[in-house]
Amino acid sequence: MISYLVRRLLWIIPVLFAVSVITFTLMHAVPGGPWDREKRLPASVQARLNNEYGLDQPLPVQYVSWAIGFVTGDLGPSYRFQDRRVNDIVMSGLATTVQLGIMAFVLSVLVGIPLGITAALGHNKWPDYTSTGVAIIGIATPSFVLAILLIVVFAVQLGWFPTGGWKGPEYWVLPTIALAGFPIAVIARYTRASMLEVTRKDYIRTAHSKGVRNQSVVTRHMVRNALIPVVTILGPTLAFLVTGSFIIERIFNIPGVGQFYLNAITTRDYSLLMAMTMLYAFAVAFLNVVVDVLYAYIDPRIRYS
Amino acid sequence: MSLVTKRSLGLLAAAAVLVGACGGSATPSPSASAEPGATAAPSEPASNLADEQVLRVDIAGEPPTLDPNKAQDSNSLAVLRALHRPLVYINPKLEVVDALAESHTISADAKTFTFTLRDAKYSNGDPIVAGDLVYSWRRLVDPRTAAPYSYVMAEVVGGSELLAMAGADPLPADAEIDALLEKFGVSAPDDKTFVVTLSTPATYFLTAMTLWVGVPIQEKWITSENATEAANYVSSGPFMLDTWQHQSEIILKPNPNWYGDIKPTLTEIRMSMSPEPAQAMAAYEAGELDMLLPVPSEDIERVKGDPTLSAEYAEESSLAITYYNYNNGQNPQGTGIAERCKDPKACPTMNKNFRAALTQAIDKTAFQNATFAGTGRVAGSFVMPGIPGALADYEPYPFDLTAAKASMDKALQELGYASAADIPALKFGFNTGSGHEPRVAFLAQAWKDAFGLQTEQVGSEFGVFLSQRTAGQYDISRNGWGADYPHANNQLSGLFTCGGGNNDQQYCDKAFDDLLTQAASEPDQAKQAALYETAGKMLSDGAVSLFLRWGVNSQLIKPYVTGLTKTPMDSQVPGEHFYETIQILKH
Amino acid sequence: MATVSRPIPGQIVRSRSSAGLWSDAFGRLRKNRLAIVGLVLVILLLLTGIFGPMIAPYPYDQMDLKAVFAAGGGPLPPLSPGHLLGTDQLGRDLLSRLLDGARISVSVALVVQVVIIVIGVPVGAVAGWFGGRLDNTLMRFTDVIYAFPDLLFIILLSVVFRETVLAKALDGLLVVFVAIGLTSWVTVARLVRGQLLSLKETEFVEAARAIGVSDRNIVTRHLLPNGISPILVAITLGIPAAILAEATLAFIGIGVQPPRASWGSLIAEGQKYIRSEPHLVVFPAIAIALALIGFTFLGDGLRDALDPKLKGKQ
């Protein structure tokens, strides 16, 4: 098990390398550059900036110097924010984005799993219908629509929460709900489905027939087994939270790295783009490994060679 | 602005000045007033003022830099105008008045400007000396700084050589650059005197000096580590940079060493940086912002219909223009016809009657009503009203479908097409994600209805769009311009001159360039304005571009904000040129 | 041909005759009310996508500025004369644009899944069947694709290929669909691989080999048809993701070329008017919601119906 874990973690390195090469190539294949403005810079100034930032070097040379910097922890200067280093930009926004992601994840698990369980236990009765109803809303509403609606209703018209920013706990509520809407629905449905499946299992009937009390049957057997498929969709859920944060951060004016990501693409801030792509790729790859390990841990029937 | 034009302008101006200088008359100082800003001092009695004098505004995104020499984006400027003041500044009537300078004189040949500085201090207590101005201007033109607005120094002695050096690869040795900088036409004979010498007369130079790039900068400040972070920032204006939480908030507080006659009443200005205009609008409505500029055009109708909001709503003219380029056929360098237009049939927009027809087919008022919520002022020429040399009511091609068809028939005959429907679809370029789709759709539909003309609407990502437009790949494309400084030269040169750095209409006409050169050395204001008017008429009569509308600043201001000194140059915050006059009433 | 096999715990194994399996599953599906609702919605969407624009009252790009100006400017509300669902600020009928957008959503559903199948199935099959180093290499390759932030990839791809024929096809949407497909095929590949890994050890495969059936035929004629159900489910559940992806991209300005509109771009345009003319957001959002619900419930139903652990237990 340990060797499997170590091997998977080591594999992240070549994966990141491949991602960096693909991103770098695609990035420079796109027309336009970091100095583009509606009011054009004089050609000589653009040439000078290209020279200063090394953009006039051949691409492989540029890649190598980026890679060396990356490995030594220097992510380079930002092309758009000329007085700042990418390290600073990422550091200052990272904590915010991670916090938002974790809160949305916790919310989706705290709401989704009980929702699914009550739906399964009250199968085809009103708890099932209510929870299905909530799930429908969560699936059917794109996160940016949910975000806009939340702002209009709760921030502008009711004034219960601020419209944007990230300056205290009251700022966390609406973005977290907007981001968690879809995962709540997905987790609820998966939990319900796997709980229903588990109730039909032989060992549950055996336990029942032996007279074991209902409560302990639920908690000990059903929940543990029902969690297996939920762990399966943990991966895609976390991936969704990661990419969903781009739009949510933008709509709610949250100073995290996600908001910068979309801008970095448009403004061709190459170093910022590379840094954040590597960050996301690492996060997704790492979480993938974690999910696989958790999966093996929870289901004793699965063992990896 | 491209250096090619600047140099040719310079040579021609040198020739022109021999004629002009013989007149012997000194160029009059542009303004009589001596007070900085010449604005009205706030007059609210203290009993009406709120206890908390805090202003909350939004600047639509994180400023890429707050280095005065290097800044170019409007959100940087919204902050810089509070932090620094140049030697001369504009007033609400767009006149140039003394600011840091107590007085100034201009030599008879209009080539030497001498400024006498006020007694003034930076926020750190150091005196503001002329040497700091010399340092700042040298740094601006220094090729190693790579400042976007360095081109305004082109007329200064030695300026064009230094600017040309920026494109050299490899860069000349430091010693060589420093030597040239020593010879650069700025000097400080003493701490209170600053002298600028131009190599050619440039009548717009004084107005250009109102830009944010020429403010005094201490060498020891800007070369220190993390100079532009709040902890280290040294300002010379009414406010100081108290906090800069990146991507989140900027907080400004009054500068105790501010030398101006009007001291700030505000104790704090809080600037948020919303990337999404809808969020900023929501923030204003929720009471989180005190002012909002601009109001998203989709909300304007609702605002005007709402009893509370309509009272807070205002429209002020701004020095901006919405216009669409026709491809006039020249290559980007301005040296001849572009490859793709060698066959005139391939580039119908090269034909003047064709362009005239397209212009006459557009009901500009309807366009404005449909796609700008009715805000703006219909334009028939480029230079914005309020700037000397503007043609506020000149429209050689008003909306007239009959005349349009007549022009189109002429064009079709000249081009050799039987009907407009035979013309292969024109490439109509625009950038996505910025709300241009309805405007492009409106125009395309109008031309289809009038002539059966087919257009292919090509929406691209911004960077891609820019490179395509610069390369002349579109027949028609959207564009826009906002004045850097309120002088006709800033609006026309570089945009319509041959090979101009911002020339996206592939236009080139020597006669036009000559007019601008003449105007650049014409000391008499009235004659100067007349020359610019003639140049402007050339553009309008030639239907060089589709001038649609001059912009307005649609803004929302809470009723308790008072003392605003608005100017048409405001772009991000109402009254952003004079934060020191703003006051908050009790509410 | 009914054969017996020992299912390996924890993995989905199919071993009954095909005919009996499908009728069994369909019976279960019929009894699942939510799945029927989903099926109805999906069929509705397909019909709208195919025939919608023909029944639309106006062409999707036709403007009615006279009516807009007569009403004082701005989008027309629902139940305006001639415009059942209202218009946008240029007077373009919302119902017609929604019907045209259905076509785009159907294309998303089909094209993306075609890309996923064309890439994912062969990759997964090869990896699962041959195992060993080939499997390892392919799985690491899929790791790279999986780790790559899809949004970035899609944006870069659609921008890089701007000027090619690919980009012009389908009003700029084809390249977006292909890009979405390219980032989503990993799940199907993994599923197929998993199926093959477990199935290839079963006895009936040994028997087929003993008879002399070629490897390729074993995979294509025996294993894949038996293993297809989880793939089918994955595809059905992958469609909502693709529709959402297209809507999100349209929201940030990538994808369909104006004047055409997808439901996502309609929402992006309409959300600016949400305070005064909410119909511009509400109707496209409802349309997306119905499509998402339809495919999700159908997929859930298929999964429940085809699950072998439920067989014979209803």
Side-chain angles (χ1 to χ4, degrees):
Chain A
M1 186 58 162
I2 296 290
S3 72
Y4 172 75
L5 178 64
V6 168
R7 246 188 313 125
R8 286 294 302 276
L9 285 176
L10 283 177
W11 262 109
I12 293 183
I13 299 175
V15 165
L16 286 184
F17 172 70
V19 170
S20 73
V21 172
I22 298 175
T23 311
F24 193 84
T25 318
L26 277 182
M27 216 170 58
H28 285 278
V30 172
W35 325 122
D36 289 342
R37 293 291 202 285
E38 185 101 65
K39 286 187 188 177
R40 281 203 287 287
L41 269 63
S44 58
V45 172
Q46 290 198 37
R48 171 102 309 274
L49 287 168
N50 282 339
N51 188 289
E52 202 178 294
Y53 285 83
L55 286 176
D56 51 356
Q57 309 262 5
L59 278 184
V61 173
Q62 287 189 48
Y63 178 78
V64 169
S65 61
W66 172 83
I68 295 177
F70 181 76
V71 165
T72 55
D74 176 10
L75 298 170
S78 161
Y79 288 70
R80 169 60 51 139
F81 302 102
Q82 294 170 321
D83 302 325
R84 304 189 68 202
R85 312 282 309 170
V86 172
N87 288 55
D88 296 327
I89 298 179
V90 170
M91 282 307 130
S92 62
L94 193 57
T96 308
T97 302
V98 168
Q99 183 188 349
L100 176 63
I102 291 180
M103 288 195 303
F105 178 68
V106 166
L107 184 68
S108 42
V109 166
L110 283 183
V111 174
I113 292 186
L115 211 58
I117 293 179
T118 48
L121 290 181
H123 184 44
N124 280 331
K125 299 198 275 286
W126 71 262
D128 193 3
Y129 295 141
T130 330
S131 125
T132 310
V134 172
I136 291 179
I137 297 175
I139 302 165
T141 320
S143 57
F144 53 91
V145 173
L146 186 58
I148 295 167
L149 286 174
L150 287 172
I151 293 181
V152 168
V153 173
F154 291 100
V156 179
Q157 298 197 319
L158 290 175
W160 290 353
F161 299 101
T163 60
W166 196 254
K167 291 187 238 163
E170 70 270 22
Y171 293 82
W172 302 344
V173 177
L174 294 184
T176 307
I177 296 177
L179 193 53
F182 189 74
I184 287 178
V186 169
I187 293 181
R189 275 174 36 245
Y190 266 82
T191 310
R192 172 186 175 279
S194 67
M195 286 283 292
L196 283 179
E197 196 182 294
V198 160
T199 47
R200 298 186 191 117
K201 283 260 183 307
D202 293 333
Y203 55 86
I204 295 293
R205 290 217 292 244
T206 316
H208 259 130
S209 67
K210 278 207 230 155
V212 179
R213 268 194 9 243
N214 212 16
Q215 187 70 342
S216 61
V217 166
V218 169
T219 48
R220 267 202 275 129
H221 297 280
M222 295 170 83
V223 173
R224 180 134 196 245
N225 283 281
L227 279 181
I228 298 170
V230 176
V231 171
T232 319
I233 48 144
L234 254 189
T237 305
L238 288 167
F240 168 83
L241 288 175
V242 157
T243 49
S245 70
F246 302 151
I247 311 268
I248 297 294
E249 283 186 19
R250 198 190 148 94
I251 297 180
F252 283 98
N253 189 13
I254 296 174
V257 287
Q259 197 197 107
F260 267 150
Y261 202 24
L262 292 179
N263 270 343
I265 302 175
T266 320
T267 58
R268 312 280 195 268
D269 195 339
Y270 296 134
S271 43
L272 194 53
L273 201 54
M274 287 297 290
M276 293 204 289
T277 306
M278 299 303 287
L279 196 64
Y280 281 121
F282 172 73
V284 171
F286 181 73
L287 289 171
N288 217 14
V289 173
V290 166
V291 166
D292 281 349
V293 166
L294 266 181
Y295 202 78
Y297 181 70
I298 291 185
D299 187 350
R301 292 175 295 170
I302 298 174
R303 276 286 171 265
Y304 296 104
S305 54
Chain B
M1 216 200 269
S2 113
L3 296 168
V4 174
T5 19
K6 282 308 221 173
R7 215 176 294 176
S8 54
L9 264 181
L11 287 169
L12 288 163
V17 88
L18 290 172
V19 179
C22 298
S25 56
T27 320
S29 185
S31 161
S33 170
E35 265 119 31
T39 54
S43 54
E44 283 293 333
S47 53
N48 286 355
L49 295 180
D51 294 326
E52 255 205 3
Q53 290 291 315
V54 175
L55 182 71
R56 299 160 306 165
V57 293
D58 184 271
I59 56 174
E62 159 105 334
T65 179
L66 287 182
D67 179 333
N69 285 150
K70 294 194 197 167
Q72 55 177 312
D73 302 282
S74 62
N75 46 10
S76 301
L77 304 187
V79 185
L80 285 175
R81 300 205 211 279
L83 297 176
H84 301 278
R85 287 289 154 82
L87 283 167
V88 290
Y89 203 44
I90 58 164
N91 70 6
K93 291 197 275 217
L94 297 179
E95 296 158 345
V96 180
V97 300
D98 289 314
L100 175 60
E102 196 170 61
S103 65
H104 68 272
T105 59
I106 309 181
S107 66
D109 61 3
K111 288 209 283 185
T112 310
F113 297 70
T114 312
F115 298 88
T116 309
L117 271 60
R118 300 165 62 113
D119 286 323
K121 290 205 188 113
Y122 293 104
S123 56
N124 62 5
D126 292 341
I128 304 180
V129 297
D132 293 335
L133 281 157
V134 170
Y135 175 74
S136 165
W137 285 45
R138 283 189 183 158
R139 184 166 178 267
L140 178 63
V141 75
D142 190 331
R144 294 165 294 197
T145 313
Y149 277 83
S150 51
Y151 70 84
V152 299
M153 297 285 119
E155 281 78 26
V156 180
V157 166
S160 41
E161 283 93 343
L162 282 159
L163 290 173
M165 218 177 242
D169 182 21
L171 207 54
D174 280 346
E176 203 187 316
I177 300 179
D178 290 334
L180 274 186
L181 283 174
E182 284 295 317
K183 296 201 230 121
F184 186 54
V186 294
S187 66
D190 59 67
D191 278 351
K192 289 265 174 276
T193 314
F194 178 65
V195 183
V196 181
T197 319
L198 302 183
S199 53
T200 77
T203 48
Y204 49 85
F205 194 76
L206 198 66
T207 321
M209 284 181 61
T210 61
L211 287 174
W212 60 92
V213 290
V215 299
I217 296 179
Q218 287 186 309
E219 182 174 357
K220 68 175 187 185
W221 165 53
I222 204 75
T223 50
S224 63
E225 186 89 17
N226 291 325
T228 52
E229 294 300 326
N232 308 320
Y233 205 93
V234 174
S235 62
S236 61
F239 287 84
M240 297 193 303
L241 183 63
D242 178 79
T243 314
W244 187 1
Q245 259 181 322
H246 289 282
Q247 222 186 322
S248 177
E249 197 177 39
I250 283 181
I251 302 183
L252 304 178
K253 293 209 169 128
N255 175 2
N257 294 327
W258 164 233
Y259 56 81
D261 294 331
I262 303 175
K263 308 286 184 215
T265 314
L266 294 171
T267 55
E268 220 174 274
I269 302 178
R270 307 187 140 229
M271 300 174 154
S272 59
M273 306 168 188
S274 177
E276 190 61 49
Q279 194 268 327
M281 181 73 199
Y284 179 86
E285 291 191 74
E288 296 165 16
L289 293 177
D290 299 317
M291 304 198 286
L292 182 68
L293 166 66
V295 177
S297 57
E298 299 84 11
D299 290 298
I300 289 181
E301 224 203 299
R302 175 173 65 90
V303 164
K304 287 188 183 168
D306 177 294
T308 324
L309 290 176
S310 58
E312 298 169 6
Y313 178 73
E315 279 176 21
E316 310 280 349
S317 65
S318 83
L319 298 183
I321 181 169
T322 304
Y323 73 108
Y324 279 64
N325 301 123
Y326 297 129
N327 189 327
N328 281 263
Q330 291 285 320
N331 62 25
Q333 296 77 28
T335 52
I337 310 269
E339 261 320 301
R340 78 180 266 260
C341 293
K342 287 276 188 314
D343 172 16
K345 285 184 85 155
C347 281
T349 50
M350 247 172 49
N351 179 296
K352 178 184 152 210
N353 286 318
F354 190 81
R355 295 194 303 268
L358 292 186
T359 311
Q360 287 165 321
I362 300 296
D363 181 352
K364 297 180 185 176
T365 313
F367 172 81
Q368 197 170 268
N369 287 339
T371 64
F372 279 94
T375 61
R377 179 176 172 172
V378 168
S381 61
F382 193 85
V383 181
M384 305 87 183
I387 297 178
L391 298 160
D393 299 304
Y394 189 71
E395 177 57 274
Y397 299 109
F399 175 54
D400 183 343
L401 285 174
T402 326
K405 287 208 178 63
S407 306
M408 180 55 83
D409 288 337
K410 268 194 250 158
L412 290 172
Q413 225 184 9
E414 287 165 9
L415 288 168
Y417 282 107
S419 88
D422 295 336
I423 302 178
L426 297 179
K427 277 183 84 169
F428 193 165
F430 64 99
N431 47 312
T432 53
S434 300
H436 298 298
E437 286 83 356
R439 297 161 198 159
V440 172
F442 181 99
L443 295 172
Q445 191 67 34
W447 289 323
K448 189 158 160 221
D449 290 339
F451 315 114
L453 183 67
Q454 297 291 336
T455 50
E456 183 200 342
Q457 298 173 37
V458 182
S460 308
E461 191 258 351
F462 188 58
V464 176
F465 164 71
L466 283 182
S467 44
Q468 296 276 61
R469 188 175 70 183
T470 313
Q473 293 297 323
Y474 300 124
D475 295 297
I476 307 172
S477 56
R478 71 141 282 273
N479 211 333
W481 179 263
D484 294 313
Y485 54 90
H487 193 285
N489 184 73
N490 174 243
Q491 321 316 324
L492 298 174
S493 181
L495 280 99
F496 295 97
T497 45
C498 294
N502 276 298
N503 188 331
D504 291 316
Q505 23 277 339
Q506 292 79 35
Y507 173 73
C508 176
D509 191 326
K510 291 251 62 233
F512 179 82
D513 290 8
D514 292 341
L515 278 171
L516 289 192
T517 317
Q518 246 191 303
S521 54
E522 171 56 67
D524 180 82
Q525 299 281 33
K527 290 207 195 114
Q528 206 191 107
L531 283 168
Y532 284 122
E533 281 176 14
T534 315
K537 281 197 183 137
M538 266 186 78
L539 297 179
S540 298
D541 292 339
V544 171
S545 302
L546 178 60
F547 304 118
L548 283 164
R549 103 193 224 283
W550 289 305
V552 295
N553 283 332
S554 50
Q555 51 199 244
L556 281 167
I557 302 173
K558 294 280 187 217
Y560 50 79
V561 179
T562 184
L564 285 168
T565 312
K566 300 186 201 173
T567 72
M569 292 278 300
D570 294 345
S571 64
Q572 209 67 64
V573 178
E576 71 187 31
H577 284 77
F578 301 101
Y579 289 104
E580 62 269 27
T581 62
I582 302 178
Q583 299 180 309
I584 309 283
L585 295 172
K586 283 205 169 81
H587 63 278
Chain C
M1 65 172 210
T3 51
V4 178
S5 75
R6 223 162 287 119
I8 301 164
Q11 282 159 336
I12 303 171
V13 172
R14 180 64 63 226
S15 62
R16 287 182 39 161
S17 81
S18 306
L21 161 73
W22 290 106
S23 64
D24 214 25
F26 192 60
R28 272 200 292 277
L29 192 66
R30 261 212 319 258
K31 295 199 189 117
N32 185 337
R33 262 177 294 172
L34 284 179
I36 296 296
V37 169
L39 185 61
V40 166
L41 285 174
V42 169
I43 293 178
L44 216 62
L45 174 66
L46 286 171
L47 289 177
T48 316
I50 300 173
F51 300 111
M54 297 176 205
I55 63 170
Y58 306 90
Y60 67 84
D61 56 352
Q62 180 170 312
M63 299 190 243
D64 189 358
L65 284 167
K66 268 208 213 87
V68 166
F69 289 149
L76 295 174
L79 299 179
S80 304
H83 298 287
L84 185 64
L85 296 183
T87 71
D88 66 9
Q89 85 260 46
L90 289 175
R92 296 182 293 200
D93 182 53
L94 188 59
L95 177 60
S96 310
R97 283 167 80 73
L98 276 177
L99 290 173
D100 185 59
R103 196 160 262 204
I104 292 177
S105 298
V106 168
S107 314
V108 169
L110 296 176
V111 174
V112 172
Q113 301 311 317
V114 164
V115 173
I116 288 178
I117 293 173
V118 160
I119 302 181
V121 169
V123 168
V126 165
W129 181 253
F130 290 109
R133 309 243 356 253
L134 191 53
D135 177 23
N136 240 335
T137 323
L138 282 174
M139 282 305 104
R140 295 313 131 224
F141 174 60
T142 63
D143 278 349
V144 173
I145 304 287
Y146 193 68
F148 205 90
D150 359 9
L151 201 59
L152 174 68
F153 187 72
I154 294 170
I155 293 174
L156 288 178
L157 212 64
S158 42
V159 173
V160 167
F161 291 106
R162 234 304 81 260
E163 287 303 301
T164 62
V165 179
L166 185 68
K168 305 268 173 72
L170 279 191
D171 290 302
L173 281 168
L174 189 61
V175 68
V176 171
F177 295 160
V178 168
I180 297 177
L182 284 176
T183 53
S184 325
W185 60 261
V186 172
T187 327
V188 168
R190 288 223 175 111
L191 262 177
V192 170
R193 168 183 176 268
Q195 287 291 84
L196 257 67
L197 271 181
S198 54
L199 285 177
K200 73 178 178 185
E201 304 303 331
T202 56
E203 285 164 357
F204 85 90
V205 169
E206 275 184 43
R209 267 212 209 98
I211 300 178
V213 183
S214 76
D215 278 359
R216 191 167 70 92
N217 276 339
I218 292 180
V219 173
T220 55
R221 293 187 34 217
H222 299 288
L223 294 183
L224 280 183
N226 279 318
I228 205 158
S229 44
I231 300 168
L232 192 61
V233 171
I235 289 173
T236 319
L237 287 176
I239 290 176
I243 295 181
L244 257 185
E246 192 278 321
T248 311
L249 287 169
F251 187 73
I252 56 179
I254 311 253
V256 64
Q257 281 282 39
R260 281 200 85 181
S262 71
W263 292 344
S265 76
L266 284 174
I267 294 183
E269 284 284 310
Q271 59 102 1
K272 301 180 198 154
Y273 284 97
I274 197 169
R275 301 293 305 284
S276 47
E277 315 285 346
H279 68 277
L280 290 171
V281 172
V282 168
F283 291 124
I286 291 178
I288 289 191
L290 291 176
L292 292 176
I293 293 172
F295 281 105
T296 309
F297 284 164
L298 182 61
D300 277 355
L302 276 177
R303 191 187 53 225
D304 288 346
L306 295 172
D307 188 336
K309 296 185 202 132
L310 295 178
K311 72 178 195 265
K313 275 187 167 48
Q314 192 62 302

